[in-house]
């Protein structure tokens, strides 16, 4: 079971110029207190057959992470044009967001990115030398999400404290809290409060 689950990734500047930074918001849920920060990385894959050309655009640490639904905004640099083979600039590339905890990757969210010229004339007859300032990118709205099982270092004591916190904050109640919630709902219904 994953302690952290991504709920949404929203690109705040899509479509955009190819050389613009990537700006997006990640919303995720954490169901237990974590001892360490989460690490998020943004990777640009221009040539799927050659991992040496992958570019890590940025990374960030997020923490401490409270139990419940959390969000953060992430800005990553545009890929370095000099590191992309000319034949791989136009067309489809991949953009990958990874989430890791204690050097263990627990999620990978991949997007297709289409890169083309910003005008019809150059789309139909691309110049021999790539003109990066004339390129635009468009990131697909449908991600491919891969989850990995990792060892979360949540101790039994942390789980107990988390369950109590989840019950009071109503983020995600634990199985131990279900009976208590039912009795509270029954008491509220008896008092005429149907919202329980």
């Amino acid at each position: 079971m994953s302690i952290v689950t991504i709920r949404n990734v929203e690109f705040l500047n899509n479509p955009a110029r190819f050389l613009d930074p990537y700006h997006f918001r990640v919303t995720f849920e954490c169901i237990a207190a974590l001892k360490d920060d989460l690490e998020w990385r943004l990777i640009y894959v221009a040539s799927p057959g050659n991992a040496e050309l992958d570019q890590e655009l940025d990374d960030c640490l997020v923490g401490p992470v409270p139990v419940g639904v959390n969000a953060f905004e992430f800005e990553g640099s545009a890929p370095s044009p000099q590191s992309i083979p000319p034949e791989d600039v136009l067309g489809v590339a991949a953009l990958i967001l990874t989430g890791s905890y204690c050097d263990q990757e627990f999620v990978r969210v991949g997007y297709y990115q289409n890169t083309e010229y910003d005008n019809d004339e150059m789309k139909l007859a691309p110049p021999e030398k790539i003109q990066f300032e004339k390129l635009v990118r468009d990131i697909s709205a449908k991600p491919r999400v891969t989850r990995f099982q990792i060892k979360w270092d949540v101790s039994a004591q942390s789980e107990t404290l988390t369950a109590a916190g989840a019950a009071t904050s109503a983020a995600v109640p634990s199985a131990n809290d279900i009976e208590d919630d039912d009795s509270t709902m029954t008491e509220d219904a008896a008092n005429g409060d149907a919202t329980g």
Side-chain angles (χ1 to χ4, degrees):
M1 176 170 117
S2 184
I3 300 299
V4 175
T5 304
I6 291 184
R7 286 193 162 190
N8 190 37
V9 178
E10 177 187 4
F11 285 90
L12 303 175
N13 64 338
N14 186 49
R17 309 295 304 174
F18 183 82
L19 297 173
D20 287 350
Y22 295 91
H23 189 196
F24 55 97
R25 179 181 300 117
V26 178
T27 304
F28 65 94
E29 183 172 10
C30 183
I31 62 171
L34 299 175
K35 294 178 185 176
D36 292 303
D37 293 345
L38 297 173
E39 181 180 19
W40 300 91
R41 297 183 326 141
L42 185 64
I43 301 164
Y44 179 79
V45 181
S47 302
N50 188 349
E52 291 179 9
L53 295 176
D54 292 358
Q55 296 182 49
E56 183 172 320
L57 304 179
D58 212 340
D59 68 341
C60 73
L61 295 175
V62 175
V65 178
V67 173
V69 177
N70 300 278
F72 67 95
E73 289 190 12
F74 191 147
E75 188 170 300
S77 308
S80 169
Q82 296 78 15
S83 300
I84 306 170
E87 64 273 13
D88 292 328
V89 172
L90 297 174
V92 178
L95 190 65
I96 299 172
L97 175 68
T98 67
S100 300
Y101 181 70
C102 295
D103 296 321
Q104 305 170 87
E105 185 176 325
F106 64 88
V107 69
R108 179 173 283 234
V109 185
Y111 293 88
Y112 289 115
Q113 172 181 302
N114 186 49
T115 303
E116 62 187 1
Y117 280 103
D118 62 2
N119 64 71
D120 290 336
E121 183 181 313
M122 293 177 91
K123 285 180 194 177
L124 294 173
E128 192 172 313
K129 182 175 166 61
I130 301 287
Q131 296 181 21
F132 285 93
E133 68 282 354
K134 299 273 189 188
L135 296 177
V136 291
R137 65 170 189 245
D138 190 10
I139 300 166
S140 69
K142 287 185 144 188
R144 178 180 170 91
V145 179
T146 307
R147 294 171 184 86
F148 305 98
Q149 292 295 323
I150 68 167
K151 183 176 190 253
W152 298 94
D153 63 355
V154 178
S155 67
Q157 181 180 9
S158 292
E159 288 175 1
T160 303
L161 293 173
T162 301
T168 58
S169 68
V172 179
S174 74
N176 297 333
D177 297 325
I178 291 174
E179 186 175 78
D180 293 338
D181 286 346
D182 288 341
S183 64
T184 303
M185 288 170 51
T186 305
E187 289 172 15
D188 289 341
N191 292 330
D193 182 5
T195 60

